[in-house]
């Protein structure tokens, strides 16, 4: 090591797609003892330049593990071939999924409801309907784009098949033909189409394409966009499932019971819980999951949630609901494999009942003392201490927009947190006019009260 550090050194990161660079390099440098190297392979680098076993002049990593370790010591970037990005609707990233679960128009979207619909009717895709999603101007752009794509596709097909293109009938003859009443086709701009026309879209439509993903399938294979429709679908799904479970528990009484049940699922999952659900699944280079994996996990989780729901409805302990996938004898690896039909989740409670938030009892408790609690203050700390004291139970805004600087410097807008808009107005000084009398200066007021 000291010898290696005694002079200049040159480092190489050797990579090869097919050959093993470790073995090739080892062969090139030869035995670590130059004397041995001279015997075995006089052409080798150590045989030519080395003088002793310590001063053998060359080093090579022994195996991929040490190669990686040494690569990191010298801070070489990790060599890897970046795979080409291909649009594939069966590959879904969490980002795309969350766009569907939390659409920007809903403040409190029922993510779990949407998650189930995604699993059953999905995948959700970055596809947008020309007729339903875009405004009139942008729809024209979208249609033109799709026409262009279609024509070029036909043209390439025809040249492939060697068909000569017949002259198109002129528009004049077209309009003369009697128009048949036909439902408009569902025109979808796919992910790659959106990428191409995005810059031409208006701001509103760009926002739509950025913020939303939709289900491509659904009822009549329509492009599902409305929240109302999703909610109805979810309730129907829940009704069917709960009814089945009720039949097996209560027999024909189920028909009567189902009418009294609120079909909105009682469980709620947060974003973290949904992420947790998929944490063991593999993703591709672009962090995309296989849709069928997601589907398998969600449906298994749904089974658990439905059982938990049932256990509340009919007052039966949750552990008495059997997992049908544990009945058949399959090796445990199969149960963990999301590709397998035997895949199952090893818990009986929904995530919102098992999920633990970060343990705050382990947080350090020795925070530095607050300046507001200090008994003796330095003259320069007085103002800061006062501000900190006020911060404890008041809302404090230092800057007031469009106020004259002279005035705004001396004014604090103060309001107790819990008072709300119609709270204690004595504590609330607000900017109403431009004269000084319309402000209440909390500090000055306090001084006056003391006097
Ligand atoms: Zn809210
Ligand atoms: Zn859309
Ligand atoms: Zn538009």
């Amino acid at each position: 090591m000291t010898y290696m550090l005694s002079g200049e050194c040159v480092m190489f990161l050797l990579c090869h797609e097919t050959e093993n660079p470790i073995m090739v390099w080892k062969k090139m440098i030869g035995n670590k003892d130059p004397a041995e190297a001279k015997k075995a392979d006089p052409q080798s680098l150590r045989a030519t330049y080395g003088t002793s076993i310590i001063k053998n002049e060359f080093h090579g990593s022994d195996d991929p593990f040490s190669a990686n370790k040494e690569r990191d010591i010298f801070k070489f970037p990790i060599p890897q071939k970046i795979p080409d990005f291909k649009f594939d609707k069966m590959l879904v990233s969490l980002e795309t999924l969350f766009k569907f679960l939390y659409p920007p128009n809903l403040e409190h979207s029922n993510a779990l409801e949407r998650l189930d619909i995604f699993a059953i009717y999905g995948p959700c895709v970055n596809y947008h309907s020309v007729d339903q999603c875009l405004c009139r101007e942008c729809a024209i752009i979208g249609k033109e784009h799709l026409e262009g794509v279609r024509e070029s596709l036909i043209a390439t097909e025809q040249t492939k098949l060697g068909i000569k293109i017949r002259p198109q009938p002129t528009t004049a003859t077209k309009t003369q033909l009697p128009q048949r009443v036909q439902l408009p086709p569902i025109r979808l701009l796919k992910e790659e189409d959106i990428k191409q026309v995005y810059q031409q879209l208006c701001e509103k439509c760009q926002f739509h394409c950025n913020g939303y993903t939709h289900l491509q399938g659904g009822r009549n294979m329509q492009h599902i966009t409305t929240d109302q429709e999703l909610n109805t679908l979810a309730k129907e799904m829940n009704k069917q499932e709960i009814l089945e479970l009720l039949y097996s528990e209560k027999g024909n009484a189920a028909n009567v019971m189902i009418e009294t049940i609120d079909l909105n699922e009682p469980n709620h999952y947060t974003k973290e819980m949904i992420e947790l659900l998929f944490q063991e699944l593999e993703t591709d280079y672009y962090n995309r999951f296989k849709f069928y994996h997601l589907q398998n996990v969600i449906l298994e989780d749904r089974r658990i949630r439905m059982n938990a729901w049932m256990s509340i409805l009919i007052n039966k302990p949750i552990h008495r609901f059997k997992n049908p996938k544990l009945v058949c004898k399959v090796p445990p690896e199969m149960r963990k494999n999301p590709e397998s039909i035997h895949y199952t989740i090893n818990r009986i409670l929904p995530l919102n009942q098992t999920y633990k938030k970060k343990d705050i009892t382990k947080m350090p408790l020795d925070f530095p003392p607050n300046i507001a609690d200090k008994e003796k203050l330095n003259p320069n700390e007085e103002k800061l201490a006062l501000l900190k004291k006020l911060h404890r139970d008041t809302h404090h805004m230092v800057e007031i927009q469009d106020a004259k600087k002279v005035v705004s410097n001396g004014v604090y807008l103060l309001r107790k947190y819990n008072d709300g808009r119609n709270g204690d107005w004595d504590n609330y000084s607000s900017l109403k006019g431009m004269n000084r009398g319309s402000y209440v200066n909390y500090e000055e007021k306090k001084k006056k009260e003391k006097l």
Side-chain angles (χ1 to χ4, degrees), residues 332-377:
E333 313 92 71
M334 295 274 267
R335 296 208 174 107
K336 282 184 185 172
N337 178 9
E339 300 259 338
S340 160
I341 53 156
H342 298 292
Y343 173 82
T344 190
I345 300 173
N346 193 19
R347 62 180 149 84
I348 54 170
L349 286 173
L351 269 186
N352 53 336
Q353 292 181 38
T354 56
Y355 183 73
K356 281 192 193 106
K357 284 188 178 168
K358 272 177 202 164
D359 193 358
I360 55 160
T361 56
K362 282 177 188 164
M363 295 273 277
L365 288 168
D366 49 337
F367 295 110
N370 195 320
I371 193 167
D373 297 328
K374 246 174 140 183
E375 290 196 348
K376 277 188 180 176
L377 292 167

Side-chain angles (χ1 to χ4, degrees), residues 127-128 133 208 214 223:
Y127 290 9
H128 292 279
C133 298
H208 176 91
H214 307 294
H223 189 58

Side-chain angles (χ1 to χ4, degrees), residues 226-348:
T226 66
D227 308 314
Q228 189 58 44
E229 194 182 354
L230 285 172
N231 192 268
T232 317
L233 262 179
K235 277 192 182 174
E236 271 176 32
M237 269 157 49
N238 290 346
K239 186 174 181 178
Q240 215 168 344
E241 193 131 3
I242 287 294
L243 194 60
E244 263 172 45
L245 284 168
L246 270 178
Y247 264 126
S248 59
E249 299 286 339
K250 300 279 173 187
N252 281 339
N255 280 327
V256 185
M257 286 178 78
I258 194 79
E259 299 304 325
T260 62
I261 293 167
D262 173 12
L263 290 165
N264 288 307
E265 202 191 323
N267 295 304
H268 290 282
Y269 279 11
T270 61
K271 249 182 198 173
E272 293 81 50
M273 291 177 205
I274 293 168
E275 273 173 33
L276 196 71
L277 211 54
F278 307 134
Q279 70 174 357
E280 272 165 27
L281 296 181
E282 276 175 28
T283 58
D284 72 348
Y285 179 82
Y286 293 94
N287 283 328
R288 294 178 298 182
F289 295 96
K290 281 185 182 154
F291 171 68
Y292 293 114
H293 290 184
L294 296 176
Q295 191 179 40
N296 232 339
V297 174
I298 296 165
L299 293 182
E300 269 301 286
D301 183 67
R302 180 174 161 85
R303 185 183 53 73
I304 294 165
R305 282 185 274 120
M306 289 295 140
N307 285 345
W309 189 2
M310 270 304 285
S311 93
I312 301 165
L313 287 176
I314 60 166
N315 219 349
K316 177 180 167 183
I318 181 74
H319 61 263
R320 286 177 56 199
F321 287 88
K322 294 279 173 285
N323 181 347
K325 295 203 176 171
L326 293 179
V327 178
C328 55
K329 278 175 190 163
V330 292
E333 313 92 71
M334 295 274 267
R335 296 208 174 107
K336 282 184 185 172
N337 178 9
E339 300 259 338
S340 160
I341 53 156
H342 298 292
Y343 173 82
T344 190
I345 300 173
N346 193 19
R347 62 180 149 84
I348 54 170

Side-chain angles (χ1 to χ4, degrees), residues 58-75:
F58 293 93
H59 171 77
S61 305
D62 293 317
D63 50 65
F65 180 76
S66 57
N68 282 345
K69 220 168 109 187
E70 283 156 15
R71 180 201 66 213
D72 290 341
I73 292 171
F74 298 111
K75 296 195 168 67

Side-chain angles (χ1 to χ4, degrees), residues 134-135 137-138 201-202 204-205:
L134 303 183
C135 72
E137 284 80 31
C138 295
L201 300 181
C202 74
K204 218 178 133 196
C205 295

Side-chain angles (χ1 to χ4, degrees), residues 128-152 184-190 193-194 197 200-201:
H128 292 279
S129 155
V130 169
D131 306 290
Q132 283 170 279
C133 298
L134 303 183
C135 72
R136 215 189 261 173
E137 284 80 31
C138 295
I140 294 164
I141 299 167
K143 274 176 207 165
E144 274 171 3
H145 172 80
L146 287 181
E147 277 298 305
V149 171
R150 205 176 67 94
E151 270 166 29
S152 69
I186 302 157
R187 278 170 293 216
L188 288 182
L189 283 167
K190 294 182 182 174
D193 297 317
I194 299 280
V197 296
Q200 292 161 261
L201 300 181

